[in-house]
């Protein structure tokens, strides 16, 4: 594998529920009002429920040209010393009681698995924790990029 590219979008099963919540909210809150008020209520509810999930689902994990990009953050693969894929349970522990407050997290709550990236220079950030739906593939891609010398 030469790289990795993954978007951490919200699961599709959330969208029918969110659409129903917005529609029920519009008709419940806006009932008895005119169409302009219903439109304002609908815009507010869409902005409150749907827009934040769309924006947070735009996060992309990409490994290319020897650099891991997690959202706006970048990490050269040659500065990674250890790659550990984690399942959902291990990720929860690493985010909770096993967390280091100085660590760098690129996490989405609806993505269970992740990878822990140990760094060559652990000061001030000891490790990165990155959500991914494919932790083994991402770990293999990082190790392959390190073997190629970060190219």
């Amino acid at each position: 594998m030469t790289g990795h590219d993954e978007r951490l979008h919200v699961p599709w099963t959330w969208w029918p529920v969110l659409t129903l919540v917005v529609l029920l909210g519009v008709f419940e809150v806006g009932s008895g009002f005119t169409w302009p008020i219903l439109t304002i209520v609908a815009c507010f509810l869409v902005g409150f429920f749907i827009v934040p999930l769309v924006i947070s689902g735009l996060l992309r994990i990409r490994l290319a040209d020897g650099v891991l990009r997690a959202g706006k953050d970048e990490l050269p693969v040659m500065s990674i010393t250890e790659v550990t894929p984690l399942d959902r349970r291990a990720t929860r522990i690493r985010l909770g009681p096993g967390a280091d407050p100085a660590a760098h997290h690129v996490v989405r709550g609806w993505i269970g698995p992740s990878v822990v990236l140990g760094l060559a220079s652990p000061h001030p950030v000891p490790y990165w924790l990155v959500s991914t739906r494919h932790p083994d593939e991402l770990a293999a891609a990082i190790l392959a990029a390190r073997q190629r010398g970060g190219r």
Side-chain angles (χ1 to χ4, degrees):
M1 177 180 235
T2 59
H4 183 87
D5 191 4
E6 172 182 13
R7 188 174 299 278
L8 302 183
H9 55 81
V10 177
W12 71 269
T13 53
W14 289 23
W15 295 112
V17 173
L18 284 171
T19 303
L20 185 62
V21 166
V22 168
L23 288 174
L24 288 174
V26 166
F27 291 114
E28 181 65 28
V29 174
S31 64
F33 291 103
T34 61
W35 281 104
I37 300 296
L38 280 174
T39 304
I40 292 170
V41 170
C43 288
F44 172 79
L45 291 175
V46 166
F48 188 78
F49 286 102
I50 294 180
V51 171
L53 288 180
V54 169
I55 290 171
S56 55
L58 294 176
L59 184 78
R60 183 173 231 130
I61 307 299
R62 182 180 296 164
L63 176 64
D65 302 323
V67 177
L68 176 67
R69 291 174 183 84
K72 296 179 183 176
D73 303 317
E74 294 185 353
L75 180 64
V77 294
M78 296 312 289
S79 65
I80 300 171
T81 58
E82 183 181 350
V83 182
T84 308
L86 301 177
D87 62 5
R88 179 180 297 272
R89 185 173 183 274
T91 298
R92 280 188 185 170
I93 292 169
R94 199 65 175 211
L95 285 170
D100 185 333
H104 182 74
H105 297 102
V106 181
V107 179
R108 291 297 181 254
W110 53 83
I111 309 286
S114 65
V115 293
V116 175
L117 307 171
L119 304 179
S121 175
H123 300 289
V125 178
Y127 61 87
W128 278 34
L129 181 69
V130 180
S131 288
T132 176
R133 287 186 173 90
H134 311 286
D136 295 324
E137 292 174 18
L138 179 57
I142 290 170
L143 293 174
R146 281 189 48 78
Q147 287 178 347
R148 288 191 308 271
R151 290 176 273 121

